[in-house]
């Protein structure tokens, strides 16, 4: 069953948009979009290092250790 187009039903959003001088999808301060989680980086880095230890046991390959430190450095910045 098709709906009848009512007069003005598609015009109302455009009318409202025309009244706005500026539309912002994101706030000016992009940091507003990032949650603030105390000690989040510390928690993530500890979890990553624990998982390396679990996966490799006592002998963690140097390449795996370097890679995890690289990835954590990217998260920190």
């Amino acid at each position: 069953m098709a709906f009848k187009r009512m007069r003005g039903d598609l015009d109302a959003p455009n009318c409202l948009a025309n009244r706005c001088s500026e539309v912002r999808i994101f706030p000016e301060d992009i940091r507003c979009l990032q949650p603030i989680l105390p000690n989040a980086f510390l928690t993530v880095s500890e979890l990553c290092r624990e998982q390396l230890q679990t996966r490799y046991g006592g002998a963690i390959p140097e390449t795996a250790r370097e890679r995890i430190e690289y990835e954590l450095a990217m998260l920190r910045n």
Side-chain angles (χ1 to χ4, degrees):
M1 178 170 135
F3 291 101
K4 286 190 327 182
R5 181 176 189 265
M6 299 180 75
R7 184 172 175 245
D9 60 351
L10 296 177
D11 298 328
N14 291 336
C15 182
L16 180 61
N18 290 337
R19 291 182 186 179
C20 298
S21 60
E22 183 178 342
V23 176
R24 289 188 191 153
I25 296 174
F26 297 110
E28 288 181 16
D29 187 357
I30 196 72
R31 293 175 298 167
C32 293
L33 300 175
Q34 299 174 350
I36 298 171
L37 304 171
N39 300 319
F41 179 76
L42 181 61
T43 302
V44 168
S45 61
E46 286 175 357
L47 286 171
C48 290
R49 290 183 182 108
E50 287 173 10
Q51 286 301 311
L52 272 181
Q53 189 67 33
T54 301
R55 179 170 290 186
Y56 293 106
I60 300 171
E62 188 62 29
T63 54
R65 188 184 321 267
E66 287 174 359
R67 180 61 186 215
I68 199 72
E69 294 306 323
Y70 170 79
E71 296 293 341
L72 289 171
M74 293 296 108
L75 288 175
R76 178 178 280 153
N77 298 332

